[in-house]
Amino acid sequence: MVPKVVVELVEELKERMPIGEICRHLGVARSSYYRWKVNENKFTQKDLRDQQIGDLCKLHKFRYGYRKITELLTDISEKTVQRVMQKYGWQCRVKVKKRK
């Protein structure tokens, strides 16, 4: 299960049922729930990387593709930037060519 969803669900139901019982019904260990709860608001390196790529895309109004964004970020590989941009739909907007 997704940790974020489990934490939200347990937070809603913990007034009605004990936390251990809720976790048992969800098939999650109680210790995992507490670990996810502690780390809920912490950003990982991947989150920070994704945010950095997104900020650059927004700054340049989604006109730059993954190659140009990679040039701006020297410490991240091209494939990683491409995967992140595809995941969040941050591809550059291609101008439609007009035919006469």
Side-chain angles (χ1 to χ4, degrees):
M1 293 196 92
V2 182
K4 202 174 204 179
V5 175
V6 172
V7 170
E8 289 174 5
L9 189 60
V10 171
E11 290 297 317
E12 286 179 25
L13 296 174
K14 73 179 181 181
E15 284 123 24
R16 297 183 201 144
M17 297 170 67
I19 293 175
E21 197 172 321
I22 297 169
C23 291
R24 200 172 326 115
H25 286 293
L26 294 174
V28 175
R30 207 174 84 214
S31 59
S32 296
Y33 159 72
Y34 285 114
R35 187 181 69 238
W36 293 339
K37 186 177 176 183
V38 167
N39 295 329
E40 184 178 23
N41 295 327
K42 291 184 182 176
F43 288 106
T44 62
Q45 291 293 333
K46 288 181 180 182
D47 294 335
L48 296 173
R49 178 199 64 201
D50 293 357
Q51 187 177 11
Q52 190 178 17
I53 292 170
D55 290 344
L56 277 174
C57 288
K58 290 170 193 160
L59 177 69
H60 296 288
K61 300 179 184 174
F62 301 98
R63 291 185 183 125
Y64 287 178
Y66 70 93
R67 290 183 184 101
K68 190 77 166 190
I69 298 293
T70 305
E71 286 178 20
L72 298 172
L73 300 169
T74 56
D75 57 336
I76 301 174
S77 74
E78 197 171 270
K79 286 186 176 185
T80 303
V81 172
Q82 185 180 18
R83 269 190 232 114
V84 170
M85 288 177 71
Q86 285 175 346
K87 179 181 175 183
Y88 294 108
W90 293 334
Q91 262 60 35
C92 65
R93 298 192 177 122
V94 180
K95 209 173 191 182
V96 178
K97 296 180 182 176
K98 296 180 182 178
R99 294 186 178 197
K100 293 184 179 182

